[in-house]
Structure formats: structure tokens, C-alpha cells
Amino acid sequence: MKYLAIVGTNADVSTNRMLLQFMQKHFASDVDIELCEIKALPAFYEPEGEEVPETVVELSKKIIDADGVIIATPEYDHAIPAVLKSALEWISYTSQALTDKPVLIVGASHGVLGSSRAQAHLRQILDSPELAARIMPSSEFLLGKSQEAFDYAGKLKYPDKLAELNEVFREFLLFTKITTELLAEKAVIKKDKKYTWQE
């Protein structure tokens, strides 16, 4: 399987980016994870006609081609960063590429709460009709005190958090498989369904 991991910040130095980079290496034997930066995306605006920035088109294509999406978000004032909100607005306004896409939310913060409020905020946004992502339920990975969490090689140092991340990721692999099968079955049922006026 192939996952797209979105770095939900425009900061040059970010422990959320470090978390995704660690996941990319740590789970390399299970899945291909491509890191995706959103720093180059323009702030959302309603384009004239059907003109969409090329960077938005590229992001949409990467999401569509992926089996699932991982989003790492920091927490700014109890919410997700503006750059991440803007990226999601582009997707909802244009391609709606996240519709029915399996999504795992993770987050790191310098404090002890590990972006918990931002993750709740992000869940609410992804559940909106224009995005309609398939968010893995009852699961979140919160990495607090993230400035101290990685060693010089970029490996996660906290044994309890590593075990938690392993479990969450195993669940996401299964969630992705089940969701894909469910949607395929749904498409078959929808295709074969006949209404009374068709019989």
C-alpha cells in the first residue's frame, strides 16, 4: 500500500515533520509513505473560472493516488495551523480528493497534551460534507514534549510512545484495507441496484 503523509505546517523546523519522517522509515517494510509539504500552496481564494494553482492540482493527484492519508498537525491556539486549513479548503473547493479516503491523524507538540485540541478540530473539518474523509475512529496519536522525543538519528526515544504508535499504525493498515473493501462492495451494490421503475 501507499500512503501520503501531509506535514501540516509551514515551519522550517517541526517535530511533526520529524514524526512523519520517523514513521516513513520505521514502517518502510509495511507500506510506502511519501512525505508531502504544503508550504508552497497559496492561501485559499476562490479562483476565477476553473483555474486552479498547479500546486493544488499536484496535491489532489497525490491524495487520489494514495491508498490512505496521514496528517500530522501541530496545535496553534487550540486549532490547526492556517496553512493546513487553507490546504483543506483548496481540496474541498476543487477536487474533493479526500472523499472516502482513509485518514490517520497524528500530532506532536512541545507541551504535554500533544496537539489534542488541534486533532479534535481537524476531525471536525475532515468530517464536513465537502471533504467527507474516512477518519479512523477512536484512535489518535499524541506526542507531547516532542522537542525531547527524538535522538540525533531521528528515532523516537519514548518506548511507551513507540509501542503506542506501532499499535495505532497496525490498526490503520487494517482500517485502510476494510474501508477499501467496503467502498468496493458499496460500488458494486450501487451499480447493480435496480429501482422499481427500472424493472
Side-chain angles (χ1 to χ4, degrees), residues 55-175:
T55 50
V56 175
V57 174
E58 291 174 1
L59 174 61
S60 294
K61 186 177 186 307
K62 287 182 178 182
I63 292 173
I64 291 170
D65 290 343
D67 295 299
V69 174
I70 305 167
I71 303 178
T73 179
E75 184 171 312
Y76 297 165
D77 300 322
H78 293 185
I80 64 173
V83 65
L84 179 55
K85 181 64 165 60
S86 179
L88 294 173
E89 287 168 351
W90 274 118
I91 296 301
S92 69
Y93 189 83
T94 58
S95 65
Q96 298 185 340
L98 281 166
T99 298
D100 285 333
K101 187 70 63 174
V103 174
L104 172 65
I105 301 172
V106 299
S109 73
H110 299 171
V112 297
L113 297 179
S115 77
S116 59
R117 295 184 184 94
Q119 290 198 30
H121 183 216
L122 182 53
R123 281 180 177 273
Q124 184 180 21
I125 294 169
L126 290 171
D127 197 40
S128 65
E130 293 78 13
L131 289 169
R134 299 274 178 156
I135 314 157
M136 190 166 78
S138 304
S139 182
E140 57 187 5
F141 181 75
L142 309 170
L143 182 61
K145 298 182 179 179
S146 59
Q147 286 179 306
E148 308 164 11
F150 301 96
D151 64 17
Y152 68 94
K155 294 182 179 179
L156 188 59
K157 294 192 299 183
Y158 304 148
D160 59 332
K161 282 297 175 181
L162 179 56
E164 181 183 337
L165 181 61
N166 286 335
E167 181 63 24
V168 167
F169 196 77
R170 279 195 296 269
E171 290 179 2
F172 187 55
L173 287 172
L174 181 59
F175 177 74

